[in-house]
Amino acid sequence: MYTAADLRKGLKITIDNEPYIITHFDFAKPGKGQALYRTKMKNMITGSTLDRTYRSGETFEPANLEDRVMQYLYKEDDHYCFMDNSTFEQIHISEDAMGDAKNYLIDNLQVDVLLFREKAIGVDVPNFVNLRVVQTDPWVKGDTSGSDSKPATVETGYVLRVPPFIEEGELITIDTRTGEYSTRVKG
Amino acid sequence: MSGSWPLARRSQALAQRGAIFTRIRMFFQEKGYLEVETPFRIPAPAPEAQIDAIPSDGWFLQTSPELCMKRLLAAGYPRIFQICRCWRDGERGTRHLSEFTMLEWYRARADYRVLMDETEQLVRTAAGVDTITYRGVEIALATAWERITVRDAFLRYTDTTAEAALSAGTFDELMVDRIEPKLGIGRPTFIYDYPASCSALARLKADDPSVAERFELYLGGLEIANAFSELIDPVEQRTRFEAEAAERARHGKHSYPVPEKFLAALAEMPEAAGIALGLDRLVMVLLDAESIDDVVAFTTEEL
């Protein structure tokens, strides 16, 4: 059982017997007033969205999802194929259900496939993944501002902002919860 | 796992934050205010129904330096200001940090209207420019600021009244969803004369005791500061603290010891006005930052 204080982006809860994932969360509290928890959430099956504001003290049922460790094999048309390493069973998941996880899929990556009543509805990737930079503009020498950043494309095609010293061919660690650059992998 | 880049990328924001703090301190020096420091760890916070202190070894981390600063006023310090850390349990979001930086200042022989004028001057000084843009919204600081009562804001922006919203328990939701987004757009807004029940330490208006002499400042929909003409009647203050403490008990919250030394000092306190301004938020607006995280050196999660 969750309370309003547990609400955060990425939390999965059950509303009217359907699993929802919280896509936006913010905390509001007008001066001297009560805490309000404002959420936007997405139905994990239908994709429909809800906006709800909760007060402290309200409680939530976790979404009863089963997750199974699987390995990413390949992409075919608009489906992604995964295999259960213990049973060798293979499943396909649609691109829509993949969400941001598709930005981090490299061959043989271990992921948690989420099942709701036996049906695969999405995947959870590790919090940190290492991906190689395949394109980024070179750093202009003499630019030493520490707060600057530049776009870079990694091997999955995902584009993110990185510090200026990152060069093509380097391996970087990305925080998949935020989609942001975390560190350079010392090679 | 996280490297030093998230810290390094804020270097410009922190440099600007430092410059803003310097301008604020100069402003108060020029106006004859004494900078004071009061303890962060206190035995008895003000028992406010909706503000929760973090326990610290039998005492509490302050949610505001208000009680200690009023004791200084009562001891004869006429103009004091403080820039300090405050802690509020469970408050975290894009505009909230559980540990944040507060600017509070208190002025003897003044009321909340005097503080509105002074707050205008302070914010102009801190900004150092006539116009700012926050999240795509222009806010003119140099021309006259908007002043609207809570009652009028409800009439203008909602389909109910402040009184009806209070009794229906929807006051805070309407404030957050309907009213706040309309405040401080184009120019800063002072919203003032709050219902008496929302102002545990503020003086009631002599000609309308249903409201308290309290104002809040908004810039670009963001609440920046909260001020009152201070309540200086120890008997009335004790009664209000008891009501707030009962409200806390109803919600199963921590109980605090009664702040007896503060209540005793109130008898000596001159007429005064005081204000608490969230400095991280002021910096957010002046730097057009999306999140409060962008204007502090460390967030709790980065420790």
Side-chain angles (χ1 to χ4, degrees):
Chain A
M1 188 64 89
Y2 298 123
T3 68
D6 297 318
L7 290 170
R8 61 181 187 280
K9 193 177 164 178
L11 194 74
K12 302 177 183 82
I13 61 178
T14 301
I15 293 180
D16 304 333
N17 295 316
E18 301 249 294
Y20 282 82
I21 182 163
I22 295 175
T23 52
H24 291 87
F25 165 77
D26 204 4
F27 175 87
K29 194 163 183 277
K32 308 283 182 192
Q34 63 189 320
L36 299 169
Y37 301 83
R38 309 171 83 191
T39 64
K40 285 187 197 305
M41 52 189 118
K42 194 172 85 175
N43 185 306
M44 294 175 73
I45 298 170
T46 65
S48 66
T49 55
L50 271 186
D51 287 7
R52 292 254 176 116
T53 297
Y54 296 100
R55 295 179 175 201
S56 44
E58 294 194 63
T59 57
F60 306 88
E61 289 292 336
N64 293 314
L65 299 166
E66 183 201 349
D67 53 306
R68 282 163 64 186
V69 178
M70 294 196 174
Q71 192 177 9
Y72 172 60
L73 296 180
Y74 55 84
K75 181 183 177 193
E76 192 173 32
D77 301 330
D78 59 352
H79 283 79
Y80 291 79
C81 181
F82 296 86
M83 181 175 74
D84 183 323
N85 284 341
S86 49
T87 63
F88 303 112
E89 178 196 359
Q90 291 190 14
I91 60 153
H92 290 81
I93 298 180
S94 72
E95 184 152 356
D96 289 344
M98 288 292 300
D100 290 344
K102 64 177 180 287
N103 293 334
Y104 313 109
L105 290 180
I106 46 171
D107 291 353
N108 305 325
L109 184 73
Q110 299 270 354
V111 300
D112 282 335
V113 172
L114 301 172
L115 300 127
F116 184 76
R117 297 176 186 160
E118 311 292 304
K119 183 179 183 308
I121 59 167
V123 302
D124 269 345
V125 293
N127 288 344
F128 294 97
V129 295
N130 294 342
L131 292 171
R132 199 161 296 284
V133 175
V134 295
Q135 195 286 317
T136 187
D137 293 338
W139 185 19
V140 181
K141 277 276 184 292
D143 180 1
T144 54
S145 61
S147 57
D148 231 334
S149 65
K150 60 176 187 178
T153 309
V154 293
E155 58 196 294
T156 59
Y158 176 57
V159 179
L160 74 165
R161 298 200 73 82
V162 300
F165 55 77
I166 295 293
E167 294 170 5
E168 278 179 21
E170 285 195 280
L171 204 55
I172 61 171
T173 302
I174 300 174
D175 185 335
T176 62
R177 293 162 302 182
T178 59
E180 290 179 1
Y181 168 91
S182 173
T183 53
R184 170 157 54 172
V185 180
K186 298 282 187 288
Chain B
M1 188 76 210
S2 199
S4 61
W5 189 57
L7 305 181
R9 71 190 289 195
R10 294 183 200 142
S11 62
Q12 285 180 353
L14 295 184
Q16 288 171 288
R17 177 184 171 110
I20 291 165
F21 278 40
T22 302
R23 290 198 289 272
I24 288 172
R25 285 196 159 95
M26 283 175 61
F27 172 86
F28 284 114
Q29 264 170 20
E30 281 169 19
K31 293 203 133 240
Y33 276 83
L34 175 68
E35 179 164 10
V36 297
E37 294 172 287
T38 60
F40 288 174
R41 208 173 135 262
I42 56 174
E48 294 187 74
Q50 305 292 356
I51 298 177
D52 296 329
I54 297 176
S56 169
D57 197 19
W59 285 17
F60 297 90
L61 297 176
Q62 65 177 3
T63 56
S64 148
E66 182 170 4
L67 302 192
C68 284
M69 290 186 77
K70 286 183 183 173
R71 284 177 66 186
L72 289 172
L73 273 177
Y77 294 77
R79 292 186 177 199
I80 48 178
F81 83 97
Q82 174 163 207
I83 291 174
C84 64
R85 288 311 178 105
C86 294
W87 289 261
R88 294 184 178 186
D89 199 16
E91 301 195 7
R92 182 71 174 103
T94 54
R95 292 155 305 173
H96 289 82
L97 286 164
S98 192
E99 175 178 344
F100 63 101
T101 302
M102 191 86 103
L103 161 66
E104 293 205 7
W105 75 97
Y106 290 80
R107 184 166 160 173
R109 290 168 293 283
D111 70 357
Y112 72 145
R113 291 186 176 277
V114 172
L115 272 193
M116 279 191 214
D117 297 340
E118 195 160 62
T119 303
E120 285 195 21
Q121 297 164 7
L122 171 85
V123 172
R124 285 186 185 123
T125 304
V129 292
D130 286 346
T131 305
I132 54 173
T133 303
Y134 179 61
R135 309 285 87 195
V137 174
E138 247 190 31
I139 307 168
L141 302 177
T143 47
W145 293 15
E146 181 184 29
R147 298 188 181 195
I148 183 172
T149 64
V150 170
R151 220 167 247 158
D152 287 346
F154 269 82
L155 294 176
R156 188 180 302 177
Y157 301 122
T158 77
D159 38 27
T160 181
T161 63
E163 290 79 5
L166 270 177
S167 45
T170 56
F171 184 90
D172 289 333
E173 272 95 340
L174 289 169
M175 201 60 147
V176 166
D177 290 333
R178 302 279 180 78
I179 298 175
E180 286 191 337
K182 301 284 201 300
L183 304 179
I185 308 297
R187 57 184 173 157
T189 301
F190 289 114
I191 178 169
Y192 66 101
D193 288 358
Y194 274 72
S197 62
C198 307
S199 320
L201 292 103
R203 182 174 78 196
L204 301 183
K205 229 178 157 75
D207 56 3
D208 180 6
S210 70
V211 297
E213 295 193 346
R214 171 185 163 199
F215 74 78
E216 294 238 359
L217 169 66
Y218 280 83
L219 294 173
L222 191 63
E223 179 197 346
I224 301 290
N226 174 51
F228 336 121
S229 304
E230 303 295 350
L231 174 66
I232 54 173
D233 174 347
V235 177
E236 168 72 6
Q237 185 67 82
R238 186 181 295 274
T239 307
R240 293 209 210 160
F241 277 174
E242 283 164 359
E244 294 282 319
E247 184 72 10
R248 291 185 61 79
R250 249 199 310 284
H251 291 106
K253 296 184 166 187
H254 279 300
S255 67
Y256 308 134
V258 178
E260 292 293 351
K261 286 180 179 162
F262 162 73
L263 289 169
L266 268 194
E268 311 290 316
M269 198 167 124
E271 298 259 319
I275 176 164
L277 185 150
L279 273 182
D280 310 297
R281 287 200 194 161
L282 179 63
V283 174
M284 257 178 95
V285 174
L286 297 182
L287 272 53
D288 191 16
E290 187 178 5
S291 164
I292 200 166
D293 295 18
D294 300 333
V295 299
V296 295
F298 287 87
T299 63
T300 315
E301 293 78 6
E302 287 166 330
L303 298 174

